[in-house]
Amino acid sequence: MESSSSTPQLLWFFAIAACVKLLLIPAYYSTDFEVHRHWLALTHSLPLSNWYADETSPWTLDYPPFFACFERFLSIFAHYIDPQIVDLHNGLNYRANSAIYFLRISVILSDLWLLYGVYRLTKNADVKRRYLIWVLIVWSPALVIVDHLHFQYNGFLLGWLLLSISFLQEGKDLMGGFLFAVLLCFKHLFAVAAPVYFVYLLRHYCWKGLVRGFSRLSVLGAVVVAVFAAAYGPFLYHGQIQQVFNRMFPFGRGLCHAYWAPNFWVFYIILDKVFSFFLKKFGFSIQIPAASFTGGLVGDSSPFAVLPKISPSTTLIMVLLALSPCFIKAWTNPQPRMVARWIAYAYTCGFLFGWHVHEKASLHFVIPLAIVAVQSLEDAKHYFMLSIVSCYSLFPLLYEAQEYPIKVLLLLLHSILMWLGFSTKFTRASAPNTTVTAKKKGAQSKSIESSSPAAEKGGFTIGWVGKSYLLGLLLVEIWGQFLHPYLLGDKFPFVPLMLISTYCAFGIMYSWIWQLRCIISTA
Amino acid sequence: MGKKKEKKEINEKVDVEAVEIEDDTWWWLTHKGIGATFLCISVFALLVRVAVSLHPYSGAGSPPKFGDYEAQRHWMEITLNLPVLEWYRNSTGNDLSYWGLDYPPLTAYQSYFHGLFLRFFDPDSVSLFTSRGYETYVGKLLMRWTVLSSDTLIFFPAIFYFAFVYHSSCHSSRKNDCAWHIAMLLLNPCLILIDHGHFQYNCISLGLTVAAIAAILSQRELLASCLFTLALSHKQMSVYYAPAFFSHLLGKCLRRKNPIHGVAKLGLTVLGTFTVVWWPYLHSTDALLGVLSRLAPFERGIYEDYVANFWCTSSVIIKWKRLFSVHSLKFISLTATVLTCLPSMVQQVMAPSSRGFLYGLLNSSFAFYLFSFQVHEKSILLPLLPASLLALEERRPFKWLMFYGLFSMFPLLCRDKLVLPYFALHALFMLLYHAPCGHGGRPRNARPNNTKFDYFDSFKTFMNGFIYLSSFILHIVYLTMHPPEKFPYLFEAIIMLICFYQFALLAFYTNVKQWSLLEHSTTEEEKKLI
């Protein structure tokens, strides 16, 4: 009853967002637009066996096969709208209105899948919490910036992730695992959470005695293998599998992207710079590497002057190390209600310590964390900070003046909505509500009880540390946008970006530590 | 036993309340009070405005005349580079045939200040002569930002003032209604499309008018008359509201102990404000007449294009332009306008009230839109404003007017290549209007089921549905089909006919409504006396 009546409202939330997204169609889009347009053309005009071999454009297909099939599906419609969109050669850098409208609208419509994921996740939640989650996910400013301005299909992909989480939370582990396998065949960057999935599914789904456990393990394995076979089988058949992997895992990319994602390596680079600076002062001969970090591509030579070189395997080990507390928890106490936290934590670790991380990857944990953000006051406070920081770290994606007010207003609106929503949620803890939440959360009711007296007193407030951090964010922005060009002109053009990523890195580090503590401390 | 029952009842009551709160989609948006709600909605409204401003403006890339965007830019260029007295005069520096300034001085001053802003960032965009048809990325951005800033600095605070006054005066209104009303006021699609899409500065004159209305509602008549005078000196179109202001203030003054004193105070305020604003042109009658003649371009004819007013619609049958001279047409249209204004004015003089004043604004602006000389499609914004102020009381008519107001501007917006924002904003408006658990969606004040009116009602809904449907089809037809060569403006004419019919109906309805207020109030007064 409740769930059926909530559908129109969820659609209303979606439609409001869709209207704004439609209005944003003429805005700036990045080269990713041409990338996706080219993929449409490529999948439309070439046989499957050539998808990963084609070199008509530098934007070769580097997503897994399911995404290519998704593009193939879209290209059917694109062909009807305007055949030139899907023309392999004439369509290169095609920027007619038909192409822009088609691609933009395809992103808006593909968000319906995200909507379905959100719907499934929230259909059993109580009304207040449900609305808040909708506001956080359906009206997420980060998704608008990345998907609808910068141009990507993250909403659609995150829909799969949310669906998978919703099944896991309901205890339907097989379905959850299946959906995650599908997601991996859409975008392999989501694989960071695979170890967590593995440990959790092994313990929670398969660890049920020898016979039953083994049969379950084989069922799960069969499902996953079937998904991967469906994705990669055709390419294996065509003898293209090596080429597919070469494309999907390009070597020779640097530790950091041209614009450093606000993660751990920012500190590492800065530490290296500081060391080399001081050592030089003390008379050591230090070779400053030619490859600069602002260039994006870094070859074999080490980009560090003093500190040891970081290889992809180092980052992998670091990610796994950071994940290990989560593994232990997932093994000793596998609880469906913690799944969203663990998965979000895994993506946070991948973001912080991963190789060649893009700032857009912060979406992978900010969106799932929205589900748990409404569970307690502490969660809400953490999410408030994290969401603002991660959205702000996306600002450099839109560097043109025209979109400046848009990104600022998006973040501002999001912050106001969060503030209003959280402060209401945690100040008016009426009696029937707490009993409902207590029932639903079982073991976690303790933490709620401990937080509710605080809620009655002050409710949702951010401490002075948080406030001053957010104020600092404002200062960084003012410096980068106004003071730096005014005072220094064209000198040190990388400083504003560096400041943003360094400053945001503190926020993300805080979030990581907070999440880690939260995961360890829950019984 | 009795106590138990009572307790149970109380519990049930609490439960019902809890359910109501739970049901309330917007509990979180409104609980912090009107300020926070307004802040949130206004940030959203601003976002929508910025998004619309990404789209093309009127006359983008269409030399030699371009459109309203070029006109506004040209005014900045003129006011910035020429002395004040030359602004409205033909001279070597000022060619009036190329977008000559034809708005009152406050617009000119506003252009001057915006010109300073533009010159600071992009001097080429406002240099004399050479900047004609200046269209660049930065230029467009700066121009758009001038509208955005005017909107935020004038229209938004005015709406806040109004919402504050209006909703603190009637305590019965729920917080939700207040939020809904603010959203309706700030996200008026017509206004957004014209100001931020087509390119104009209606937000300034309308904002000043709203502030004046709010001042009247809060009993600050001097402030109100000052603000309304400013609105008049920004855009002469604000005269559409003048009868309502005049009659309401007159009616109020007459009710005072010393009516002459009150009228004199108001008159002096108005004159004083006018003097300040028009000061540079008050030194000689020539200068003043020069400006005034620019403001009233009678030579442009009684109507232009296909505007859904009486003259244009009836010209399908009666060729006004051929039958009468411009002079007699002026007289005829003036008489018609005054006659249609008169009922609402008389009502306000007889019984001035806040509600009646709002209806009066709607009626007088309708009268002007339907019958005055030289009306533009965009003038539907003027009746729309009081209609949106009354949105809580007149929900259905408001939606109705918004729908056909938008529709009447559709051909204009198509020419400006604003079809996408048109549909997006239209949808956004309808969504907000029917917000879940909000005002529009809930039949809270549903009228009791009178079987008597069933037949009439079903006929009405059928007619409404039919017209809605046909206008929807017309949208598509207009976009996809070419009109027959014999009648190149066939579709525009049909749109105009439909819209005129609706506007006339609405105007009649609101006039009746205003007069029924009188009956209502007199019966109440009688009751009080008894």
Side-chain angles (χ1 to χ4, degrees):
Chain A
M1 169 73 203
E2 220 178 38
S3 59
S4 65
S5 68
S6 79
T7 322
Q9 292 168 18
L10 182 59
L11 281 174
W12 184 86
F13 274 78
F14 172 76
I16 290 277
C19 286
V20 176
K21 291 165 187 173
L22 279 174
L23 286 174
L24 291 174
I25 284 182
Y28 157 88
Y29 48 82
S30 72
T31 45
D32 277 358
F33 176 82
E34 170 61 14
V35 170
H36 286 280
R37 195 219 48 80
H38 180 65
W39 291 356
L40 283 179
L42 190 136
T43 49
H44 187 80
S45 25
L46 293 177
L48 188 90
S49 56
N50 284 355
W51 283 2
Y52 286 89
D54 176 73
E55 283 185 346
T56 325
S57 148
W59 312 119
T60 52
L61 189 56
D62 58 4
Y63 272 33
F66 276 177
F67 198 85
C69 296
F70 174 63
E71 295 274 7
R72 176 74 184 88
F73 170 71
L74 288 181
S75 71
I76 301 169
F77 304 102
H79 181 70
Y80 282 110
I81 304 287
D82 181 0
Q84 206 185 335
I85 301 175
V86 291
D87 193 305
L88 193 58
H89 298 283
N90 292 331
L92 284 181
N93 293 315
Y94 186 55
R95 274 164 191 206
N97 270 339
S98 60
I100 295 173
Y101 276 61
F102 175 77
L103 278 151
R104 290 271 202 210
I105 290 172
S106 76
V107 182
I108 295 173
L109 288 180
S110 72
D111 271 355
L112 279 169
W113 194 244
L114 174 75
L115 201 71
Y116 179 60
V118 175
Y119 163 73
R120 264 218 66 142
L121 263 171
T122 55
K123 66 178 179 180
N124 293 321
D126 63 292
V127 179
K128 284 183 176 186
R129 197 177 291 181
R130 187 193 292 160
Y131 286 144
L132 264 182
I133 294 177
W134 292 351
V135 169
L136 295 180
I137 299 181
V138 183
W139 291 354
S140 160
L143 271 178
V144 175
I145 289 176
V146 176
D147 279 11
H148 302 278
L149 292 167
H150 177 83
F151 201 86
Q152 273 190 348
Y153 289 92
N154 287 298
F156 170 71
L157 299 169
L158 285 165
W160 288 95
L161 184 67
L162 293 188
L163 264 183
S164 164
I165 293 175
S166 82
F167 277 103
L168 290 183
Q169 282 188 342
E170 285 170 16
K172 295 172 181 162
D173 290 343
L174 190 63
M175 194 63 185
F178 165 72
L179 287 167
F180 185 68
V182 173
L183 173 65
L184 288 187
C185 295
F186 270 106
K187 194 171 179 180
H188 48 304
L189 280 180
F190 281 95
V192 184
V196 174
Y197 264 91
F198 179 74
V199 172
Y200 175 77
L201 287 178
L202 195 64
R203 182 72 172 86
H204 190 253
Y205 181 69
C206 306
W207 211 257
K208 305 269 152 115
L210 193 65
V211 180
R212 201 161 145 230
F214 196 74
S215 64
R216 280 195 165 190
L217 182 65
S218 44
V219 170
L220 185 64
V223 165
V224 173
V225 168
V227 170
F228 277 87
Y232 295 96
F235 298 95
L236 200 64
Y237 173 77
H238 288 292
Q240 282 281 317
I241 198 73
Q242 187 60 41
Q243 179 65 19
V244 171
F245 286 120
N246 285 348
R247 284 281 165 84
M248 275 169 54
F249 302 99
F251 294 103
R253 286 197 184 170
L255 174 66
C256 288
H257 204 257
Y259 159 66
W260 310 342
N263 62 9
F264 174 75
W265 302 116
V266 169
F267 298 124
Y268 194 79
I269 297 166
I270 287 175
L271 198 67
D272 179 70
K273 299 263 182 222
V274 171
F275 271 177
S276 65
F277 178 77
F278 280 109
L279 288 178
K280 248 186 169 174
K281 274 233 159 146
F282 293 131
F284 293 91
S285 72
I286 304 285
Q287 267 202 332
I288 300 291
S292 102
F293 269 102
T294 41
L297 287 177
V298 177
D300 285 335
S301 67
S302 168
F304 299 105
V306 188
L307 295 177
K309 185 188 167 185
I310 301 296
S311 68
S313 51
T314 326
T315 61
L316 181 67
I317 291 166
M318 283 195 67
V319 171
L320 287 177
L321 265 181
L323 272 174
S324 54
C326 179
F327 294 151
I328 297 167
K329 275 286 166 188
W331 187 262
T332 53
N333 192 11
Q335 287 180 2
R337 65 178 180 83
M338 288 299 284
V339 160
R341 279 178 204 278
W342 289 334
I343 291 169
Y345 176 73
Y347 287 125
T348 316
C349 293
F351 183 82
L352 267 183
F353 303 108
W355 180 263
H356 195 81
V357 173
H358 205 284
E359 68 274 18
K360 284 168 270 183
S362 63
L363 277 174
H364 297 178
F365 55 93
V366 174
I367 298 294
L369 273 177
I371 309 159
V372 294
V374 289
Q375 282 181 358
S376 75
L377 183 61
E378 290 305 308
D379 278 309
K381 283 178 181 173
H382 161 251
Y383 190 78
F384 184 78
M385 293 291 289
L386 170 69
S387 177
I388 290 176
V389 171
S390 77
C391 179
Y392 178 69
S393 74
L394 296 171
F395 270 24
L397 282 179
L398 309 173
Y399 51 87
E400 288 190 21
Q402 185 177 242
E403 283 73 26
Y404 188 75
I406 295 177
K407 61 184 182 185
V408 172
L409 285 170
L410 276 171
L411 179 55
L412 202 61
L413 182 64
H414 182 62
S415 316
I416 295 172
L417 284 172
M418 275 198 296
W419 172 63
L420 283 174
F422 286 146
S423 54
T424 326
K425 171 96 177 96
F426 296 107
T427 41
R428 251 171 53 178
S430 53
N433 185 36
T434 35
T435 50
V436 170
T437 44
K439 252 186 239 162
K440 278 195 180 154
K441 294 170 94 194
Q444 227 191 1
S445 60
K446 257 186 190 171
S447 69
I448 282 187
E449 272 160 28
S450 63
S451 71
S452 49
E456 274 157 27
K457 271 181 221 154
F460 180 78
T461 48
I462 338 154
W464 64 271
V465 182
K467 271 183 195 150
S468 44
Y469 180 76
L470 290 180
L471 196 70
L473 216 60
L474 191 69
L475 292 180
V476 167
E477 179 62 14
I478 290 171
W479 169 262
Q481 284 297 326
F482 306 104
L483 296 181
H484 184 91
Y486 183 70
L487 295 175
L488 297 173
D490 292 337
K491 271 186 263 174
F492 313 117
F494 54 90
V495 167
L497 285 185
M498 213 173 77
L499 260 181
I500 293 177
S501 50
T502 319
Y503 197 78
C504 290
F506 281 107
I508 306 278
M509 282 297 266
Y510 155 77
S511 161
W512 174 64
I513 294 166
W514 189 91
Q515 287 183 54
L516 182 63
R517 220 195 56 206
C518 178
I519 285 170
I520 292 174
S521 65
T522 43
Chain B
M1 186 70 192
K3 259 189 181 177
K4 243 187 180 175
K5 214 176 181 183
E6 224 170 54
K7 227 179 182 179
K8 208 180 174 188
E9 267 176 5
I10 288 169
N11 273 348
E12 272 172 3
K13 227 181 184 178
V14 168
D15 278 357
V16 167
E17 268 172 19
V19 166
E20 263 181 10
I21 292 165
E22 297 262 297
D23 231 28
D24 207 338
T25 325
W26 304 112
W27 98 100
W28 51 275
L29 192 67
T30 50
H31 92 291
K32 282 262 180 191
I34 189 171
T37 313
F38 181 82
L39 181 71
C40 187
I41 296 173
S42 60
V43 170
F44 179 68
L46 206 57
L47 176 70
V48 170
R49 281 164 165 78
V50 177
V52 172
S53 76
L54 299 171
H55 291 264
Y57 42 82
S58 81
S62 59
K65 259 294 212 180
F66 301 97
D68 273 357
Y69 172 86
E70 171 64 9
Q72 298 283 354
R73 198 211 50 72
H74 179 66
W75 295 351
M76 293 181 197
E77 170 197 333
I78 291 296
T79 50
L80 205 58
N81 293 300
L82 297 177
V84 181
L85 282 175
E86 268 187 48
W87 288 354
Y88 289 91
R89 254 205 330 242
N90 237 335
S91 69
T92 47
N94 190 6
D95 174 17
L96 283 182
S97 63
Y98 183 80
W99 297 116
L101 193 52
D102 53 6
Y103 279 0
L106 199 58
T107 295
Y109 304 145
Q110 164 243 317
S111 294
Y112 176 75
F113 284 109
H114 286 154
L116 286 179
F117 171 75
L118 252 74
R119 189 163 68 181
F120 181 75
F121 289 102
D122 189 11
D124 289 347
S125 65
V126 282
S127 61
L128 198 57
F129 297 126
T130 53
S131 64
R132 282 197 183 176
Y134 187 87
E135 293 181 292
T136 57
Y137 177 81
V138 176
K140 176 188 172 186
L141 219 55
L142 292 173
M143 290 286 284
R144 290 293 200 194
W145 286 353
T146 60
V147 191
L148 282 168
S149 59
S150 327
D151 219 348
T152 353
L153 292 177
I154 295 172
F155 190 72
F156 282 50
I159 292 292
F160 181 68
Y161 182 26
F162 173 80
F164 186 75
V165 172
Y166 186 79
H167 287 277
S168 56
S169 66
C170 46
H171 295 284
S172 58
S173 70
R174 299 182 314 154
K175 280 174 169 179
N176 264 5
D177 289 348
C178 177
W180 181 82
H181 197 189
I182 292 172
M184 289 296 107
L185 286 165
L186 288 182
L187 286 152
N188 177 342
C190 292
L191 182 60
I192 298 178
L193 281 168
I194 292 299
D195 274 10
H196 300 274
H198 177 85
F199 205 94
Q200 277 195 344
Y201 292 91
N202 292 300
C203 52
I204 298 179
S205 61
L206 291 182
L208 289 169
T209 311
V210 171
I213 294 167
I216 283 197
L217 295 189
S218 60
Q219 315 298 334
R220 294 196 183 111
E221 278 125 23
L222 292 182
L223 177 66
S225 48
C226 173
L227 284 167
F228 184 63
T229 316
L230 286 178
L232 264 176
S233 336
H234 187 268
K235 235 181 158 174
Q236 63 270 43
M237 231 82 85
S238 308
V239 81
Y240 285 24
Y241 300 125
F245 273 93
F246 174 73
S247 56
H248 179 78
L249 289 176
L250 182 69
K252 260 186 174 172
C253 283
L254 290 180
R255 242 140 265 261
R256 294 235 176 88
K257 275 183 201 159
N258 200 346
I260 297 169
H261 180 66
V263 172
K265 253 185 7 188
L266 290 174
L268 280 177
T269 315
V270 171
L271 278 179
T273 317
F274 264 125
T275 318
V276 170
V277 176
W278 290 68
W279 184 251
Y281 305 101
L282 292 179
H283 298 294
S284 68
T285 38
D286 273 359
L288 188 63
L289 286 178
V291 177
L292 288 178
S293 70
R294 291 290 308 155
L295 300 189
F298 286 115
E299 69 279 3
R300 279 161 79 173
I302 191 160
Y303 57 82
E304 261 183 319
D305 297 339
Y306 281 84
V307 54
N309 75 350
F310 175 74
W311 306 113
C312 191
T313 312
S314 56
S315 71
V316 176
I317 308 161
I318 311 164
K319 300 290 171 209
W320 300 101
K321 280 181 180 174
R322 242 181 279 157
L323 284 174
F324 299 96
S325 68
V326 168
H327 188 73
S328 50
L329 274 179
K330 263 192 248 179
F331 180 73
I332 296 171
S333 70
L334 181 69
T335 324
T337 315
V338 170
L339 280 178
T340 35
C341 276
L342 217 52
S344 91
M345 286 177 74
V346 170
Q347 194 272 344
Q348 273 306 288
V349 176
M350 280 165 69
S353 66
S354 293
R355 271 185 80 193
F357 172 56
L358 293 177
Y359 279 104
L361 287 165
L362 183 55
N363 288 328
S364 71
S365 51
F366 254 138
F368 271 89
Y369 180 81
L370 291 176
F371 293 106
S372 74
F373 199 88
Q374 245 287 311
V375 175
H376 201 272
E377 293 105 307
K378 284 168 266 180
S379 304
I380 194 62
L381 285 175
L382 290 126
L384 257 174
L385 182 77
S388 60
L389 297 179
L390 275 167
L392 270 178
E393 286 164 56
E394 297 288 342
R395 266 182 291 157
R396 289 280 296 280
F398 167 59
K399 178 177 145 189
W400 195 1
L401 179 61
M402 186 64 86
F403 184 88
Y404 289 103
L406 267 168
F407 190 33
S408 72
M409 294 196 304
F410 185 58
L412 172 82
L413 295 169
C414 275
R415 252 177 287 144
D416 291 343
K417 301 191 187 70
L418 291 169
V419 180
L420 174 74
Y422 173 88
F423 283 111
L425 282 181
H426 203 150
L428 189 65
F429 172 77
M430 286 302 167
L431 284 166
L432 289 171
Y433 183 89
H434 292 286
C437 304
H439 208 113
R442 177 179 295 193
R444 203 163 53 98
N445 297 334
R447 79 189 89 111
N449 262 337
N450 275 357
T451 38
K452 232 169 43 181
F453 292 107
D454 242 4
Y455 179 71
F456 178 66
D457 262 9
S458 60
F459 174 72
K460 219 170 70 181
T461 42
F462 170 75
M463 274 309 285
N464 272 338
F466 175 72
I467 296 171
Y468 269 125
L469 186 73
S470 53
S471 56
F472 180 71
I473 294 170
L474 253 177
H475 275 118
I476 296 167
V477 167
Y478 189 86
L479 284 177
T480 51
M481 279 166 51
H482 290 287
E485 272 180 31
K486 230 174 160 186
F487 308 103
Y489 293 107
L490 178 70
F491 298 148
E492 279 90 345
I494 296 174
I495 291 175
M496 172 192 79
L497 281 172
I498 291 180
C499 291
F500 172 72
Y501 166 59
Q502 304 296 331
F503 293 155
L505 259 175
L506 273 166
F508 180 72
Y509 166 80
T510 51
N511 267 300
V512 170
K513 199 75 198 245
Q514 191 183 351
W515 271 88
S516 68
L517 281 180
L518 192 64
E519 279 164 29
H520 192 68
S521 67
T522 46
T523 50
E524 257 184 15
E525 270 173 26
E526 276 164 15
K527 266 182 203 166
K528 269 181 196 168
L529 283 175
I530 291 160

